[in-house]
Amino acid sequence: MTTRPSFNVTGSTVWACQQIVDYLKPTLEGTDREIDKVQTVERHIGKFDTPADVKRWLSNRDGGVRVAALRVPQYETIGGRLVGNVNFVAYVFTTDQFGYEKDTRAEVIVGKIAGLLLQRGALPTAYSKAMAVRSDNLYTTKIDELGVSVWSVTWSQQWYLDEAIDPATLDDFLRFGMTGQVAEGAPELEGVVDLPQ
């Protein structure tokens, strides 16, 4: 039996993203009866490129917030520590719920996120305060056909990027989605694989 190799994630944005998730969770996560909240707030790997990406993530949920680091346009060392100016996004997904429209729910949650990011003393583990906070409506007819409203909140912020992370705090790799084509012109194969643990 082989053992899992160690993984040093020092020098990454993973710690910063998780700090943001942990900060947003207490205010934004709730039950399905709390219309101004979502089912889950989680770290995400990047952008959502297609409606299929949205559908795959949102299945069996009525809303969520996914936080991702999109880029680090500038690194520097300050006091011997690695600091990066990170561009973040928080994607907000909502559905119609108890007769409340998905777009209204999304806009309310987006406003909450912006307010939380701009509060005095927000995210005390960051090197700087959140800057250039903005929101965007990511409506498309294909997304709307899924019965989902998607908004994003983007901002830039300086974070320490040399924080060590306990690997036990990283997301478990339990399931992955797969799309493939056996041959040109053949039907596309699509599936979800649950991994043994």
Side-chain angles (χ1 to χ4, degrees), residues 39-111:
Q39 189 176 19
T40 185
V41 178
E42 298 173 303
R43 188 172 60 84
H44 188 65
I45 58 174
K47 294 181 181 179
F48 286 87
D49 289 331
T50 66
D53 288 342
V54 173
K55 184 178 179 182
R56 186 177 310 122
W57 179 80
L58 196 68
S59 63
N60 298 323
R61 297 181 181 171
D62 50 36
V65 174
R66 303 286 283 181
V67 179
L70 296 180
R71 70 188 62 77
V72 184
Q74 180 182 359
Y75 288 92
E76 58 187 306
T77 54
I78 299 174
R81 300 215 39 205
L82 181 64
V83 175
N85 186 23
V86 186
N87 297 138
F88 291 102
V89 62
Y91 293 104
V92 176
F93 300 88
T94 55
T95 60
D96 291 340
Q97 199 170 338
F98 292 105
Y100 295 99
E101 294 182 1
K102 59 188 179 289
D103 58 312
T104 303
R105 290 185 64 223
E107 289 180 54
V108 166
I109 294 165
V110 161

Side-chain angles (χ1 to χ4, degrees), residues 130-148:
M131 303 294 291
V133 178
R134 66 176 269 177
S135 62
D136 291 287
N137 183 344
L138 303 180
Y139 171 87
T140 67
T141 54
K142 292 200 181 278
I143 296 289
D144 192 52
E145 287 169 2
L146 295 174
V148 178

Side-chain angles (χ1 to χ4, degrees), residues 15-16 19 76-86 88 122-131 156-163:
W15 178 78
Q19 292 288 301
E76 58 187 306
T77 54
I78 299 174
R81 300 215 39 205
L82 181 64
V83 175
N85 186 23
V86 186
F88 291 102
L123 296 161
T125 51
Y127 184 78
S128 74
K129 66 181 187 173
M131 303 294 291
S156 61
Q157 191 168 24
Q158 288 183 301
W159 279 84
Y160 292 111
L161 298 182
D162 57 2
E163 287 288 335

